[in-house]
């Protein structure tokens, strides 16, 4: 079976145990990359401000292998939050599938622009977003003035 057919993407509540575990592993990876736990400017995402949370699941093993969320910024713009794929599932198309599902969810809600923040110690994420059609933009919102942030944006069709 091709890798891209090895997982499904499900809408889950923010407090879903598998999703929470993925976010915890993402946090640990970022703490290691940045050498501290002080690498995210702004308000941390929470159940009260996330509009949709997606989890990619391997249907054979039932393992959650990735996640991503959207936080509405204004009437036409949302921010991608907590985009993460387990290291062993990277390169399999999971991230592309999650991003596509987040973009579709944004379009369904009438949002025409997606923004995101990633970090200077995440060149793999920067390459991924550029490859997927996101362009680097000036730092926005809570990220203005951050020396660790790199921001991207894409206008959706």
């Amino acid at each position: 079976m091709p890798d891209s057919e090895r997982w499904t993407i499900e809408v889950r509540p923010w407090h879903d145990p598998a999703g929470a575990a993925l976010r915890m592993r993402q946090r640990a990876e970022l703490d290691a990359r940045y050498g501290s736990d002080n690498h995210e400017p702004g308000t941390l995402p929470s159940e009260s401000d996330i509009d949709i949370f997606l989890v990619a699941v391997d249907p054979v093993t039932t393992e959650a292998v990735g996640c991503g969320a959207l936080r509405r910024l204004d009437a036409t713009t949302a921010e991608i939050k907590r985009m993460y794929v387990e290291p062993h599932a990277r390169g399999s198309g999971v991230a592309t599938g999650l991003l596509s599902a987040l973009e579709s969810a944004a379009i369904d809600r009438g949002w025409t622009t997606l923004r995101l923040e990633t970090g200077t110690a995440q060149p793999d994420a920067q390459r991924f977003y550029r490859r997927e059609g996101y362009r680097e933009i000036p730092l926005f919102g809570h990220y203005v003035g951050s020396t660790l942030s790199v921001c991207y944006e894409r206008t959706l069709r």
Side-chain angles (χ1 to χ4, degrees):
M1 179 178 333
D3 285 339
S4 62
E5 295 176 17
R6 287 194 54 234
W7 38 264
T8 57
I9 297 174
E10 303 172 355
V11 176
R12 300 255 182 114
W14 181 254
H15 59 271
D16 172 73
L22 287 165
R23 295 192 309 271
M24 188 172 58
R25 287 193 291 279
Q26 178 192 40
R27 185 78 186 187
E29 181 178 320
L30 294 177
D31 290 354
R33 283 187 187 213
Y34 289 93
S36 81
D37 64 358
N38 186 22
H39 48 76
E40 184 172 6
T43 306
L44 297 178
S46 68
E47 187 169 17
S48 66
D49 70 357
I50 290 297
D51 292 85
I52 187 168
F53 181 60
L54 302 178
V55 174
V57 177
D58 182 320
V60 175
T61 66
T62 69
E63 175 191 14
V65 295
C67 63
L70 292 177
R71 175 196 282 170
R72 186 173 62 90
L73 298 177
D74 61 38
T76 61
T77 309
E79 181 180 6
I80 297 170
K81 299 298 293 180
R82 294 305 181 259
M83 187 77 171
Y84 176 73
V85 174
E86 292 280 17
H88 72 273
R90 293 176 188 167
S92 69
V94 172
T96 303
L98 279 165
L99 186 60
S100 178
L102 289 170
E103 291 171 348
S104 292
I107 290 167
D108 289 348
R109 288 162 173 77
W111 302 334
T112 57
T113 304
L114 286 182
R115 289 184 174 172
L116 64 98
E117 180 265 353
T118 190
T120 56
Q122 296 165 261
D124 45 346
Q126 293 176 45
R127 282 190 304 273
F128 170 73
Y129 289 115
R130 283 193 303 269
R131 185 186 79 220
E132 295 302 316
Y134 286 74
R135 64 179 177 82
E136 191 171 339
I137 60 170
L139 302 179
F140 67 93
H142 295 289
Y143 311 113
V144 172
S146 169
T147 59
L148 300 177
S149 295
V150 181
C151 294
Y152 291 87
E153 178 179 279
R154 181 171 182 200
T155 302
L156 305 172
R157 289 183 226 154

